Amino acid sequence: MDEQPVPQRRPAGGHGPGGGTGHALDRRAELSEFLRSRRARLKPDDVGLPDYGRHRRVPGLRREELAQLAGVSVAYYTRLEQGNGQNVSGEVLGAIASALRLTDAEQAHLMHLTKPRQHKKKPSMRQQRVRGTLCQLLDTMEGVPAYVIGRRSEILGWNRMAAAVFGDWSELPQQERNWARLVFLNPDYRELFVEWDQKASDIVSYLRMDAGCHPDDPRLSALVGELSVKSEEFRRLWARHDVKEKSHGVKRLHHPLVGELSLAFETFALPDDAEQSMVAYHAEPGSPSAEALRLLASWGTDATRAGTSVPGRQ
């Protein structure tokens, strides 16, 4: 398992997401920083190694300890952590992922960074679109807030209930219809989400996953660069290198009209476009949150005069 990684050249001209240049992601730097961050979070006790009480100059495991767990030489792992990961086998990556105790999402991210998909064309700069029939489906989901999200956390389509709960995105410029921008740059959303810190962390983790899959996306790089300049909280979270795939859970909201809402959500990846997902929210039947959703649905366009949003979809 001690094959030699082939050194990679640093891409010319760009610093990747976080640098604010809009250039492509520096995959080598991303691989290096990701492995360092995952190693730093582990202690010898976590992986069954003895800790003799010596002063440890670095947080987490040493490279020597990680290499021992993965069954590779220290020199080999050192080269990998320096970003030289082009020629690493799946077997070796699996051993390193196991030694680092990576989640499924983290292991997929590691694979993306070391074994990128070969794209024959440059990333498409065309606007993402939602299928017309899917827009119709959103409209029929009365009482269920739902929207479609695409790459870069862009909000592509939504129904009337989503507008009533989250805001009238049709009133925003197209560029601002983006969850990352809303969460980090719009103070109204800091008030809307009761656990704002968790929402912010989730958004950054999704963007990190997206960046690993699409390192040549200049729009994503520009977005991360802008947010890094404008938001200290975003910079801090981005530096953690956490990754996560969209799934399911519960969001607690403080709605300006109906007060506290506790809504469960499910994420459905579209079978014909893996880069788009539909997210739908619902409340427990008979709960105060369910009654609040019913009230929002019954107000309809009258809710506009009461201070909430009307439906909108690009």
PDB file of all heavy atoms in Angstrom, residues 235-265:
ATOM      1  N   ARG A 235     -15.512  33.333   7.143  1.00  0.00           N
ATOM      2  CA  ARG A 235     -14.078  32.998   7.071  1.00  0.00           C
ATOM      3  C   ARG A 235     -13.721  31.939   8.100  1.00  0.00           C
ATOM      4  O   ARG A 235     -12.981  30.991   7.806  1.00  0.00           O
ATOM      5  CB  ARG A 235     -13.221  34.242   7.300  1.00  0.00           C
ATOM      6  CG  ARG A 235     -13.246  35.242   6.177  1.00  0.00           C
ATOM      7  CD  ARG A 235     -12.092  36.229   6.298  1.00  0.00           C
ATOM      8  NE  ARG A 235     -12.077  36.936   7.565  1.00  0.00           N
ATOM      9  CZ  ARG A 235     -12.746  38.063   7.805  1.00  0.00           C
ATOM     10  NH1 ARG A 235     -13.532  38.578   6.860  1.00  0.00           N
ATOM     11  NH2 ARG A 235     -12.658  38.666   8.968  1.00  0.00           N
ATOM     12  N   ARG A 236     -14.239  32.074   9.299  1.00  0.00           N
ATOM     13  CA  ARG A 236     -13.936  31.114  10.361  1.00  0.00           C
ATOM     14  C   ARG A 236     -14.471  29.730  10.020  1.00  0.00           C
ATOM     15  O   ARG A 236     -13.769  28.722  10.161  1.00  0.00           O
ATOM     16  CB  ARG A 236     -14.527  31.608  11.685  1.00  0.00           C
ATOM     17  CG  ARG A 236     -14.379  30.631  12.839  1.00  0.00           C
ATOM     18  CD  ARG A 236     -14.977  31.206  14.109  1.00  0.00           C
ATOM     19  NE  ARG A 236     -16.379  31.550  13.949  1.00  0.00           N
ATOM     20  CZ  ARG A 236     -17.376  30.663  14.039  1.00  0.00           C
ATOM     21  NH1 ARG A 236     -17.117  29.373  14.254  1.00  0.00           N
ATOM     22  NH2 ARG A 236     -18.632  31.066  13.906  1.00  0.00           N
ATOM     23  N   LEU A 237     -15.695  29.670   9.542  1.00  0.00           N
ATOM     24  CA  LEU A 237     -16.289  28.376   9.216  1.00  0.00           C
ATOM     25  C   LEU A 237     -15.629  27.745   7.993  1.00  0.00           C
ATOM     26  O   LEU A 237     -15.428  26.534   7.939  1.00  0.00           O
ATOM     27  CB  LEU A 237     -17.792  28.549   8.984  1.00  0.00           C
ATOM     28  CG  LEU A 237     -18.620  28.904  10.224  1.00  0.00           C
ATOM     29  CD1 LEU A 237     -20.038  29.284   9.829  1.00  0.00           C
ATOM     30  CD2 LEU A 237     -18.635  27.741  11.214  1.00  0.00           C
ATOM     31  N   TRP A 238     -15.296  28.569   7.006  1.00  0.00           N
ATOM     32  CA  TRP A 238     -14.652  28.041   5.797  1.00  0.00           C
ATOM     33  C   TRP A 238     -13.300  27.418   6.137  1.00  0.00           C
ATOM     34  O   TRP A 238     -12.904  26.399   5.557  1.00  0.00           O
ATOM     35  CB  TRP A 238     -14.506  29.150   4.762  1.00  0.00           C
ATOM     36  CG  TRP A 238     -13.988  28.687   3.437  1.00  0.00           C
ATOM     37  CD1 TRP A 238     -12.730  28.847   2.947  1.00  0.00           C
ATOM     38  CD2 TRP A 238     -14.723  27.983   2.427  1.00  0.00           C
ATOM     39  NE1 TRP A 238     -12.623  28.291   1.697  1.00  0.00           N
ATOM     40  CE2 TRP A 238     -13.834  27.755   1.361  1.00  0.00           C
ATOM     41  CE3 TRP A 238     -16.037  27.532   2.336  1.00  0.00           C
ATOM     42  CZ2 TRP A 238     -14.217  27.084   0.199  1.00  0.00           C
ATOM     43  CZ3 TRP A 238     -16.421  26.874   1.181  1.00  0.00           C
ATOM     44  CH2 TRP A 238     -15.524  26.657   0.133  1.00  0.00           C
ATOM     45  N   ALA A 239     -12.587  28.004   7.073  1.00  0.00           N
ATOM     46  CA  ALA A 239     -11.262  27.512   7.455  1.00  0.00           C
ATOM     47  C   ALA A 239     -11.330  26.162   8.165  1.00  0.00           C
ATOM     48  O   ALA A 239     -10.307  25.481   8.276  1.00  0.00           O
ATOM     49  CB  ALA A 239     -10.557  28.532   8.350  1.00  0.00           C
ATOM     50  N   ARG A 240     -12.503  25.751   8.624  1.00  0.00           N
ATOM     51  CA  ARG A 240     -12.628  24.462   9.306  1.00  0.00           C
ATOM     52  C   ARG A 240     -12.617  23.275   8.357  1.00  0.00           C
ATOM     53  O   ARG A 240     -12.412  22.147   8.767  1.00  0.00           O
ATOM     54  CB  ARG A 240     -13.922  24.454  10.137  1.00  0.00           C
ATOM     55  CG  ARG A 240     -13.799  25.255  11.397  1.00  0.00           C
ATOM     56  CD  ARG A 240     -15.101  25.505  12.128  1.00  0.00           C
ATOM     57  NE  ARG A 240     -16.131  24.481  11.977  1.00  0.00           N
ATOM     58  CZ  ARG A 240     -17.321  24.554  12.577  1.00  0.00           C
ATOM     59  NH1 ARG A 240     -17.588  25.596  13.371  1.00  0.00           N
ATOM     60  NH2 ARG A 240     -18.222  23.635  12.399  1.00  0.00           N
ATOM     61  N   HIS A 241     -12.895  23.511   7.086  1.00  0.00           N
ATOM     62  CA  HIS A 241     -12.892  22.450   6.062  1.00  0.00           C
ATOM     63  C   HIS A 241     -13.916  21.351   6.351  1.00  0.00           C
ATOM     64  O   HIS A 241     -13.733  20.198   5.965  1.00  0.00           O
ATOM     65  CB  HIS A 241     -11.498  21.833   5.914  1.00  0.00           C
ATOM     66  CG  HIS A 241     -10.534  22.715   5.183  1.00  0.00           C
ATOM     67  ND1 HIS A 241     -10.306  22.626   3.833  1.00  0.00           N
ATOM     68  CD2 HIS A 241      -9.759  23.729   5.638  1.00  0.00           C
ATOM     69  CE1 HIS A 241      -9.413  23.541   3.479  1.00  0.00           C
ATOM     70  NE2 HIS A 241      -9.077  24.228   4.551  1.00  0.00           N
ATOM     71  N   ASP A 242     -15.015  21.692   7.010  1.00  0.00           N
ATOM     72  CA  ASP A 242     -16.079  20.722   7.236  1.00  0.00           C
ATOM     73  C   ASP A 242     -16.891  20.544   5.967  1.00  0.00           C
ATOM     74  O   ASP A 242     -17.115  21.506   5.214  1.00  0.00           O
ATOM     75  CB  ASP A 242     -16.995  21.177   8.370  1.00  0.00           C
ATOM     76  CG  ASP A 242     -16.303  21.148   9.715  1.00  0.00           C
ATOM     77  OD1 ASP A 242     -15.287  20.432   9.839  1.00  0.00           O
ATOM     78  OD2 ASP A 242     -16.755  21.841  10.643  1.00  0.00           O
ATOM     79  N   VAL A 243     -17.339  19.317   5.718  1.00  0.00           N
ATOM     80  CA  VAL A 243     -18.178  19.027   4.558  1.00  0.00           C
ATOM     81  C   VAL A 243     -19.402  18.242   5.011  1.00  0.00           C
ATOM     82  O   VAL A 243     -19.353  17.494   5.979  1.00  0.00           O
ATOM     83  CB  VAL A 243     -17.417  18.242   3.464  1.00  0.00           C
ATOM     84  CG1 VAL A 243     -16.337  19.088   2.839  1.00  0.00           C
ATOM     85  CG2 VAL A 243     -16.834  16.951   4.022  1.00  0.00           C
ATOM     86  N   LYS A 244     -20.493  18.438   4.297  1.00  0.00           N
ATOM     87  CA  LYS A 244     -21.744  17.762   4.635  1.00  0.00           C
ATOM     88  C   LYS A 244     -22.616  17.702   3.399  1.00  0.00           C
ATOM     89  O   LYS A 244     -22.591  18.613   2.563  1.00  0.00           O
ATOM     90  CB  LYS A 244     -22.467  18.523   5.755  1.00  0.00           C
ATOM     91  CG  LYS A 244     -23.770  17.886   6.219  1.00  0.00           C
ATOM     92  CD  LYS A 244     -24.477  18.791   7.219  1.00  0.00           C
ATOM     93  CE  LYS A 244     -23.715  18.896   8.523  1.00  0.00           C
ATOM     94  NZ  LYS A 244     -24.490  19.662   9.547  1.00  0.00           N
ATOM     95  N   GLU A 245     -23.381  16.631   3.279  1.00  0.00           N
ATOM     96  CA  GLU A 245     -24.357  16.524   2.199  1.00  0.00           C
ATOM     97  C   GLU A 245     -25.735  16.898   2.729  1.00  0.00           C
ATOM     98  O   GLU A 245     -26.065  16.623   3.886  1.00  0.00           O
ATOM     99  CB  GLU A 245     -24.371  15.110   1.621  1.00  0.00           C
ATOM    100  CG  GLU A 245     -23.077  14.743   0.905  1.00  0.00           C
ATOM    101  CD  GLU A 245     -23.087  13.321   0.371  1.00  0.00           C
ATOM    102  OE1 GLU A 245     -23.696  12.456   1.041  1.00  0.00           O
ATOM    103  OE2 GLU A 245     -22.497  13.080  -0.687  1.00  0.00           O
ATOM    104  N   LYS A 246     -26.544  17.517   1.888  1.00  0.00           N
ATOM    105  CA  LYS A 246     -27.890  17.905   2.298  1.00  0.00           C
ATOM    106  C   LYS A 246     -28.705  16.652   2.601  1.00  0.00           C
ATOM    107  O   LYS A 246     -28.657  15.677   1.854  1.00  0.00           O
ATOM    108  CB  LYS A 246     -28.575  18.711   1.193  1.00  0.00           C
ATOM    109  CG  LYS A 246     -27.791  19.946   0.755  1.00  0.00           C
ATOM    110  CD  LYS A 246     -28.488  20.636  -0.388  1.00  0.00           C
ATOM    111  CE  LYS A 246     -27.650  21.773  -0.940  1.00  0.00           C
ATOM    112  NZ  LYS A 246     -26.449  21.285  -1.656  1.00  0.00           N
ATOM    113  N   SER A 247     -29.464  16.678   3.683  1.00  0.00           N
ATOM    114  CA  SER A 247     -30.226  15.479   4.039  1.00  0.00           C
ATOM    115  C   SER A 247     -31.579  15.856   4.647  1.00  0.00           C
ATOM    116  O   SER A 247     -32.476  16.301   3.936  1.00  0.00           O
ATOM    117  CB  SER A 247     -29.414  14.606   5.012  1.00  0.00           C
ATOM    118  OG  SER A 247     -29.071  15.351   6.183  1.00  0.00           O
ATOM    119  N   HIS A 248     -31.726  15.704   5.943  1.00  0.00           N
ATOM    120  CA  HIS A 248     -33.006  15.982   6.608  1.00  0.00           C
ATOM    121  C   HIS A 248     -32.717  16.471   8.019  1.00  0.00           C
ATOM    122  O   HIS A 248     -31.587  16.395   8.515  1.00  0.00           O
ATOM    123  CB  HIS A 248     -33.874  14.722   6.649  1.00  0.00           C
ATOM    124  CG  HIS A 248     -33.198  13.560   7.339  1.00  0.00           C
ATOM    125  ND1 HIS A 248     -33.242  13.375   8.696  1.00  0.00           N
ATOM    126  CD2 HIS A 248     -32.438  12.549   6.840  1.00  0.00           C
ATOM    127  CE1 HIS A 248     -32.554  12.293   9.017  1.00  0.00           C
ATOM    128  NE2 HIS A 248     -32.044  11.776   7.911  1.00  0.00           N
ATOM    129  N   GLY A 249     -33.745  16.991   8.666  1.00  0.00           N
ATOM    130  CA  GLY A 249     -33.576  17.491  10.020  1.00  0.00           C
ATOM    131  C   GLY A 249     -34.737  18.366  10.429  1.00  0.00           C
ATOM    132  O   GLY A 249     -35.837  18.267   9.865  1.00  0.00           O
ATOM    133  N   VAL A 250     -34.511  19.232  11.394  1.00  0.00           N
ATOM    134  CA  VAL A 250     -35.543  20.128  11.918  1.00  0.00           C
ATOM    135  C   VAL A 250     -34.945  21.529  12.013  1.00  0.00           C
ATOM    136  O   VAL A 250     -33.806  21.701  12.464  1.00  0.00           O
ATOM    137  CB  VAL A 250     -36.040  19.675  13.306  1.00  0.00           C
ATOM    138  CG1 VAL A 250     -37.033  20.688  13.879  1.00  0.00           C
ATOM    139  CG2 VAL A 250     -36.675  18.291  13.230  1.00  0.00           C
ATOM    140  N   LYS A 251     -35.701  22.505  11.561  1.00  0.00           N
ATOM    141  CA  LYS A 251     -35.308  23.905  11.683  1.00  0.00           C
ATOM    142  C   LYS A 251     -36.316  24.635  12.567  1.00  0.00           C
ATOM    143  O   LYS A 251     -37.530  24.491  12.395  1.00  0.00           O
ATOM    144  CB  LYS A 251     -35.241  24.584  10.309  1.00  0.00           C
ATOM    145  CG  LYS A 251     -34.123  24.098   9.418  1.00  0.00           C
ATOM    146  CD  LYS A 251     -32.761  24.390  10.007  1.00  0.00           C
ATOM    147  CE  LYS A 251     -31.659  23.882   9.101  1.00  0.00           C
ATOM    148  NZ  LYS A 251     -30.326  23.983   9.749  1.00  0.00           N
ATOM    149  N   ARG A 252     -35.788  25.419  13.495  1.00  0.00           N
ATOM    150  CA  ARG A 252     -36.623  26.259  14.338  1.00  0.00           C
ATOM    151  C   ARG A 252     -36.510  27.694  13.835  1.00  0.00           C
ATOM    152  O   ARG A 252     -35.408  28.223  13.654  1.00  0.00           O
ATOM    153  CB  ARG A 252     -36.198  26.161  15.793  1.00  0.00           C
ATOM    154  CG  ARG A 252     -36.444  24.797  16.414  1.00  0.00           C
ATOM    155  CD  ARG A 252     -35.878  24.726  17.818  1.00  0.00           C
ATOM    156  NE  ARG A 252     -36.420  25.798  18.649  1.00  0.00           N
ATOM    157  CZ  ARG A 252     -35.688  26.488  19.526  1.00  0.00           C
ATOM    158  NH1 ARG A 252     -34.399  26.262  19.655  1.00  0.00           N
ATOM    159  NH2 ARG A 252     -36.246  27.441  20.254  1.00  0.00           N
ATOM    160  N   LEU A 253     -37.655  28.299  13.569  1.00  0.00           N
ATOM    161  CA  LEU A 253     -37.707  29.650  13.013  1.00  0.00           C
ATOM    162  C   LEU A 253     -38.451  30.577  13.963  1.00  0.00           C
ATOM    163  O   LEU A 253     -39.329  30.148  14.724  1.00  0.00           O
ATOM    164  CB  LEU A 253     -38.403  29.641  11.652  1.00  0.00           C
ATOM    165  CG  LEU A 253     -37.911  28.638  10.606  1.00  0.00           C
ATOM    166  CD1 LEU A 253     -38.798  28.693   9.380  1.00  0.00           C
ATOM    167  CD2 LEU A 253     -36.462  28.900  10.238  1.00  0.00           C
ATOM    168  N   HIS A 254     -38.098  31.856  13.876  1.00  0.00           N
ATOM    169  CA  HIS A 254     -38.877  32.886  14.567  1.00  0.00           C
ATOM    170  C   HIS A 254     -39.479  33.764  13.483  1.00  0.00           C
ATOM    171  O   HIS A 254     -38.858  34.707  13.004  1.00  0.00           O
ATOM    172  CB  HIS A 254     -38.004  33.707  15.516  1.00  0.00           C
ATOM    173  CG  HIS A 254     -38.780  34.728  16.285  1.00  0.00           C
ATOM    174  ND1 HIS A 254     -39.579  34.391  17.368  1.00  0.00           N
ATOM    175  CD2 HIS A 254     -38.913  36.068  16.126  1.00  0.00           C
ATOM    176  CE1 HIS A 254     -40.155  35.478  17.833  1.00  0.00           C
ATOM    177  NE2 HIS A 254     -39.769  36.517  17.095  1.00  0.00           N
ATOM    178  N   HIS A 255     -40.722  33.443  13.104  1.00  0.00           N
ATOM    179  CA  HIS A 255     -41.388  34.135  12.004  1.00  0.00           C
ATOM    180  C   HIS A 255     -41.958  35.459  12.486  1.00  0.00           C
ATOM    181  O   HIS A 255     -42.552  35.538  13.576  1.00  0.00           O
ATOM    182  CB  HIS A 255     -42.508  33.249  11.441  1.00  0.00           C
ATOM    183  CG  HIS A 255     -43.032  33.708  10.126  1.00  0.00           C
ATOM    184  ND1 HIS A 255     -44.012  34.671  10.005  1.00  0.00           N
ATOM    185  CD2 HIS A 255     -42.704  33.338   8.858  1.00  0.00           C
ATOM    186  CE1 HIS A 255     -44.273  34.875   8.736  1.00  0.00           C
ATOM    187  NE2 HIS A 255     -43.487  34.083   8.006  1.00  0.00           N
ATOM    188  N   PRO A 256     -41.823  36.524  11.702  1.00  0.00           N
ATOM    189  CA  PRO A 256     -42.286  37.839  12.165  1.00  0.00           C
ATOM    190  C   PRO A 256     -43.791  37.934  12.359  1.00  0.00           C
ATOM    191  O   PRO A 256     -44.263  38.820  13.081  1.00  0.00           O
ATOM    192  CB  PRO A 256     -41.815  38.794  11.057  1.00  0.00           C
ATOM    193  CG  PRO A 256     -41.593  37.928   9.853  1.00  0.00           C
ATOM    194  CD  PRO A 256     -41.152  36.608  10.384  1.00  0.00           C
ATOM    195  N   LEU A 257     -44.572  37.037  11.727  1.00  0.00           N
ATOM    196  CA  LEU A 257     -46.033  37.096  11.861  1.00  0.00           C
ATOM    197  C   LEU A 257     -46.597  36.068  12.819  1.00  0.00           C
ATOM    198  O   LEU A 257     -47.461  36.377  13.636  1.00  0.00           O
ATOM    199  CB  LEU A 257     -46.685  36.907  10.489  1.00  0.00           C
ATOM    200  CG  LEU A 257     -46.613  38.078   9.520  1.00  0.00           C
ATOM    201  CD1 LEU A 257     -47.337  37.726   8.237  1.00  0.00           C
ATOM    202  CD2 LEU A 257     -47.190  39.339  10.143  1.00  0.00           C
ATOM    203  N   VAL A 258     -46.129  34.827  12.727  1.00  0.00           N
ATOM    204  CA  VAL A 258     -46.754  33.746  13.499  1.00  0.00           C
ATOM    205  C   VAL A 258     -45.871  33.247  14.628  1.00  0.00           C
ATOM    206  O   VAL A 258     -46.241  32.308  15.337  1.00  0.00           O
ATOM    207  CB  VAL A 258     -47.138  32.572  12.569  1.00  0.00           C
ATOM    208  CG1 VAL A 258     -48.208  33.005  11.583  1.00  0.00           C
ATOM    209  CG2 VAL A 258     -45.918  32.011  11.851  1.00  0.00           C
ATOM    210  N   GLY A 259     -44.725  33.858  14.826  1.00  0.00           N
ATOM    211  CA  GLY A 259     -43.880  33.484  15.956  1.00  0.00           C
ATOM    212  C   GLY A 259     -43.054  32.236  15.708  1.00  0.00           C
ATOM    213  O   GLY A 259     -42.592  31.980  14.600  1.00  0.00           O
ATOM    214  N   GLU A 260     -42.926  31.422  16.747  1.00  0.00           N
ATOM    215  CA  GLU A 260     -42.047  30.255  16.693  1.00  0.00           C
ATOM    216  C   GLU A 260     -42.616  29.161  15.786  1.00  0.00           C
ATOM    217  O   GLU A 260     -43.805  28.834  15.861  1.00  0.00           O
ATOM    218  CB  GLU A 260     -41.825  29.683  18.089  1.00  0.00           C
ATOM    219  CG  GLU A 260     -41.121  30.628  19.050  1.00  0.00           C
ATOM    220  CD  GLU A 260     -39.688  30.914  18.634  1.00  0.00           C
ATOM    221  OE1 GLU A 260     -39.018  29.988  18.136  1.00  0.00           O
ATOM    222  OE2 GLU A 260     -39.245  32.063  18.813  1.00  0.00           O
ATOM    223  N   LEU A 261     -41.732  28.632  14.936  1.00  0.00           N
ATOM    224  CA  LEU A 261     -42.075  27.507  14.071  1.00  0.00           C
ATOM    225  C   LEU A 261     -41.021  26.420  14.233  1.00  0.00           C
ATOM    226  O   LEU A 261     -39.822  26.713  14.269  1.00  0.00           O
ATOM    227  CB  LEU A 261     -42.109  27.927  12.600  1.00  0.00           C
ATOM    228  CG  LEU A 261     -43.243  28.815  12.117  1.00  0.00           C
ATOM    229  CD1 LEU A 261     -42.951  29.283  10.689  1.00  0.00           C
ATOM    230  CD2 LEU A 261     -44.562  28.042  12.156  1.00  0.00           C
ATOM    231  N   SER A 262     -41.483  25.184  14.341  1.00  0.00           N
ATOM    232  CA  SER A 262     -40.571  24.041  14.338  1.00  0.00           C
ATOM    233  C   SER A 262     -40.953  23.176  13.147  1.00  0.00           C
ATOM    234  O   SER A 262     -42.018  22.543  13.140  1.00  0.00           O
ATOM    235  CB  SER A 262     -40.686  23.245  15.647  1.00  0.00           C
ATOM    236  OG  SER A 262     -39.810  22.127  15.636  1.00  0.00           O
ATOM    237  N   LEU A 263     -40.099  23.154  12.129  1.00  0.00           N
ATOM    238  CA  LEU A 263     -40.428  22.495  10.873  1.00  0.00           C
ATOM    239  C   LEU A 263     -39.389  21.422  10.543  1.00  0.00           C
ATOM    240  O   LEU A 263     -38.183  21.696  10.541  1.00  0.00           O
ATOM    241  CB  LEU A 263     -40.479  23.509   9.723  1.00  0.00           C
ATOM    242  CG  LEU A 263     -41.462  24.679   9.883  1.00  0.00           C
ATOM    243  CD1 LEU A 263     -41.364  25.613   8.680  1.00  0.00           C
ATOM    244  CD2 LEU A 263     -42.892  24.177  10.062  1.00  0.00           C
ATOM    245  N   ALA A 264     -39.862  20.227  10.284  1.00  0.00           N
ATOM    246  CA  ALA A 264     -38.990  19.170   9.791  1.00  0.00           C
ATOM    247  C   ALA A 264     -38.801  19.362   8.284  1.00  0.00           C
ATOM    248  O   ALA A 264     -39.709  19.828   7.593  1.00  0.00           O
ATOM    249  CB  ALA A 264     -39.597  17.797  10.084  1.00  0.00           C
ATOM    250  N   PHE A 265     -37.630  19.008   7.792  1.00  0.00           N
ATOM    251  CA  PHE A 265     -37.390  19.137   6.358  1.00  0.00           C
ATOM    252  C   PHE A 265     -36.768  17.873   5.808  1.00  0.00           C
ATOM    253  O   PHE A 265     -36.072  17.149   6.499  1.00  0.00           O
ATOM    254  CB  PHE A 265     -36.500  20.348   6.053  1.00  0.00           C
ATOM    255  CG  PHE A 265     -35.071  20.204   6.504  1.00  0.00           C
ATOM    256  CD1 PHE A 265     -34.097  19.693   5.651  1.00  0.00           C
ATOM    257  CD2 PHE A 265     -34.690  20.585   7.794  1.00  0.00           C
ATOM    258  CE1 PHE A 265     -32.786  19.557   6.067  1.00  0.00           C
ATOM    259  CE2 PHE A 265     -33.379  20.452   8.217  1.00  0.00           C
ATOM    260  CZ  PHE A 265     -32.420  19.936   7.354  1.00  0.00           C
TER     261      PHE A 265
END
